[in-house]
Amino acid sequence: MSREVRHFLYDIRQTISIIENATAGKSFADYSGDPILKLGLERAVEIISEASRGIPDDLKTSRPEIPWPKIRGIGNVLRLEYHGLSDKIIWGVIVDEIPKLRLAIEAILRVVEEP
């Protein structure tokens, strides 16, 4: 059975919450010095990337401020070219892009969940 779009959105929202909890009060130095935190956050970004593929284009275009192709692409980079991705890039995604993505996902969920 295929998943409904809301399930992909819930996965993204839950993963964002995990990222927020894991990074609360943390700095780049904390991130770069903690290999378990790094691996966990990289995996969380992979999950978000993969789940974003299940969001239909019409919903994505309703949130043009989100770089959807980059979200999709970073998962491939993490899976296939992980050795070339710097800590600063991932940390930048975490602190700069994840908060914007949370707002967009919440807005899309309101549309999807309308009665």
Side-chain angles (χ1 to χ4, degrees), residues 3-6 25 30 40-42 47 58-61 64 75 81 84 86 88 102 110 115:
R3 298 181 80 205
E4 292 182 31
V5 66
R6 63 188 168 87
D30 295 324
L41 292 176
E42 288 173 10
I47 290 168
D58 63 319
L59 291 175
K60 289 179 184 174
T61 57
E81 301 174 34
S86 77
K88 286 185 180 182
R102 174 182 274 295
R110 283 192 294 276

Side-chain angles (χ1 to χ4, degrees), residues 12-52:
I12 294 171
R13 182 175 62 184
Q14 179 183 26
T15 304
I16 289 172
S17 292
I18 291 167
I19 289 170
E20 291 170 341
N21 289 333
T23 59
K26 299 272 187 345
S27 67
F28 175 71
D30 295 324
Y31 166 76
S32 61
D34 185 342
I36 299 300
L37 180 61
K38 284 172 52 173
L39 287 172
L41 292 176
E42 288 173 10
R43 177 65 180 139
V45 171
E46 279 185 63
I47 290 168
I48 290 170
S49 173
E50 190 61 30
S52 76

Side-chain angles (χ1 to χ4, degrees), residues 55-98:
I55 302 171
D57 288 340
D58 63 319
L59 291 175
K60 289 179 184 174
T61 57
S62 73
R63 303 308 301 203
E65 75 278 14
I66 301 301
W68 297 107
K70 287 183 178 181
I71 291 172
R72 184 179 181 141
I74 198 167
N76 290 334
V77 172
L78 285 166
R79 282 185 291 279
L80 305 172
E81 301 174 34
Y82 59 89
H83 50 80
L85 201 56
S86 77
D87 289 351
K88 286 185 180 182
I89 290 172
I90 293 295
W91 187 250
V93 167
I94 299 299
V95 298
D96 296 330
E97 304 302 327
I98 292 297

